[in-house]
Amino acid sequence: MFYGHLLGLYEKALPADWSWEQRLSAARDMGFDFVELSVDESDERIARLSWDARRREELRTLSVKLGMPIRSMCLSAHRRYPFGSADPGIRAKAREISERAVTLAEDLGIRVIQLAGYDVYYEPSTAQSVRAFLEGMRYVSGLGARYQIMHAVEIMDTPFMNSITKYLEYESLVRSPYFRVYPDLGNLTAWGNDVSRELEKGIASIVAVHLKETLPVTETSPGRFRNVPLGSGTVDFARSFRALRDLGYTGPYLLEMWSGTAPDDCAEILRSRRYLEDEYKRSYRS
């Protein structure tokens, strides 16, 4: 636990060549409460959506045996197959990915599927792509309602969905209790948002919070959204923790990191966790 909150660890914080037993055991031994599974745009991870019943049951049984649940899924495969694509075949693939993700989530006991807030990524954004994205969000919220699995949009590293304010526009149009927001404190900070104000606006819709360090977007820099060691960026974690506590937030936090940024991944994870603990303590003083 992390000051009364469940604390998760992003799967990619650990080496990709580790077995699931190694990953889950390491997360447990480092004091985390759950792991967030990744289904990114790589063929290898998209293939997870096609695991057969035996493979799914093996992982579910292993997580129960080790006492380390997989509570959430980072479904970033839509960066490659976006709902807003001009290609109808890609839009159909986006729906197929969501359908398979929901059934995988159901079989593994995952409660929240985090969606990347991109209408498109490798194509130009247009009025048509924006409309198609909205249609896609309505579609996934319907899937979520059918299976009682939450879909939550992450605040991202591109201008399309770089604030909770922008997310709330879509929430008002989708109008589903299974469509919510998954803010990333690093991404919110990098875009120059008033993070405390954004959290206040979205508090009724926040299902989880990513803890990640970033460097800001400026007139001369595109910012840096990945592989920034905690404490070396500009995110004011203490202020955000205080704001969330004052707002009555009791949901989970998720430490988002990537392996290979330090000589020893587990040592860097533990250092990062200690840093966040110090920031939480500082939130009472600042």
Side-chain angles (χ1 to χ4, degrees):
M1 296 290 284
F2 180 77
Y3 298 98
H5 298 265
L6 293 179
L7 181 63
L9 180 66
Y10 188 38
E11 173 199 341
K12 288 187 177 181
L14 298 166
D17 60 354
W18 278 15
S19 67
W20 275 108
E21 183 167 6
Q22 288 175 300
R23 292 183 192 127
L24 297 177
S25 296
R28 178 200 60 198
D29 294 345
M30 288 187 287
F32 290 88
D33 300 296
F34 68 97
V35 166
E36 183 166 275
L37 178 140
S38 169
V39 178
D40 63 19
E41 60 184 314
S42 67
D43 290 336
E44 178 185 7
R45 285 195 164 96
I46 290 176
R48 292 173 170 181
L49 301 177
S50 300
W51 281 347
D52 60 22
R54 179 186 60 81
R55 183 77 177 272
R56 297 174 186 216
E57 180 59 27
E58 285 176 351
L59 182 53
R60 177 71 182 266
T61 299
L62 180 64
S63 70
V64 171
K65 175 185 174 183
L66 297 175
M68 181 49 53
I70 302 172
R71 290 181 176 270
S72 57
M73 176 194 302
C74 178
L75 182 59
S76 53
H78 287 125
R79 185 161 77 167
R80 178 176 171 188
Y81 298 104
F83 282 105
S85 176
D87 184 336
I90 291 179
R91 295 198 302 273
K93 181 69 172 180
R95 291 194 174 208
E96 177 190 332
I97 285 170
S98 283
E99 291 161 5
R100 294 189 177 195
V102 165
T103 58
L104 179 62
E106 183 181 40
D107 290 341
L108 295 182
I110 289 171
R111 288 96 178 272
V112 174
I113 296 176
Q114 177 228 293
L115 299 170
Y118 303 124
D119 60 337
V120 288
Y121 190 81
Y122 298 110
E123 303 175 35
S125 182
T126 64
Q128 179 183 347
S129 70
V130 172
R131 287 194 298 271
F133 174 78
L134 174 58
E135 291 174 7
M137 296 304 96
R138 286 172 170 157
Y139 181 75
V140 299
S141 68
L143 287 175
R146 185 181 308 155
Y147 290 91
Q148 294 187 306
I149 293 173
M150 188 71 65
H151 286 78
V153 178
E154 183 181 12
I155 304 306
M156 299 304 297
D157 54 354
T158 64
F160 179 75
M161 192 72 72
N162 63 1
S163 69
I164 294 175
T165 299
K166 288 184 177 179
Y167 157 77
L168 289 171
E169 295 175 9
Y170 286 91
E171 182 181 295
S172 70
L173 296 170
V174 173
R175 300 180 63 190
S176 169
Y178 292 94
F179 182 75
R180 289 294 181 260
V181 68
Y182 194 142
D184 182 308
L185 297 183
N187 294 348
L188 279 172
T189 301
W191 286 107
N193 291 293
D194 181 336
V195 176
S196 296
R197 177 61 178 149
E198 287 291 303
L199 294 171
E200 182 181 7
K201 286 183 179 181
I203 188 59
S205 302
I206 296 173
V207 298
V209 176
H210 267 169
L211 305 176
K212 184 185 73 179
E213 187 70 271
T214 53
L215 294 172
V217 176
T218 67
E219 293 183 358
T220 58
S221 171
R224 187 174 175 187
F225 293 86
R226 292 183 55 166
N227 298 328
V228 181
L230 265 71
S232 64
T234 58
V235 180
D236 190 338
F237 290 101
R239 185 183 181 200
S240 295
F241 286 143
R242 183 174 66 250
L244 286 162
R245 187 173 61 247
D246 290 345
L247 291 166
Y249 177 72
T250 59
Y253 288 111
L254 191 288
L255 176 56
E256 186 178 27
M257 309 175 48
W258 288 266
S259 65
T261 60
D264 185 322
D265 289 321
C266 289
E268 180 62 13
I269 291 168
L270 289 172
R271 185 201 70 80
S272 299
R273 177 169 179 156
R274 288 192 296 269
Y275 175 81
L276 292 171
E277 290 170 348
D278 289 342
E279 286 294 283
Y280 201 94
K281 293 174 185 175
R282 189 168 71 85
S283 72
Y284 284 100
R285 303 191 300 269
S286 58

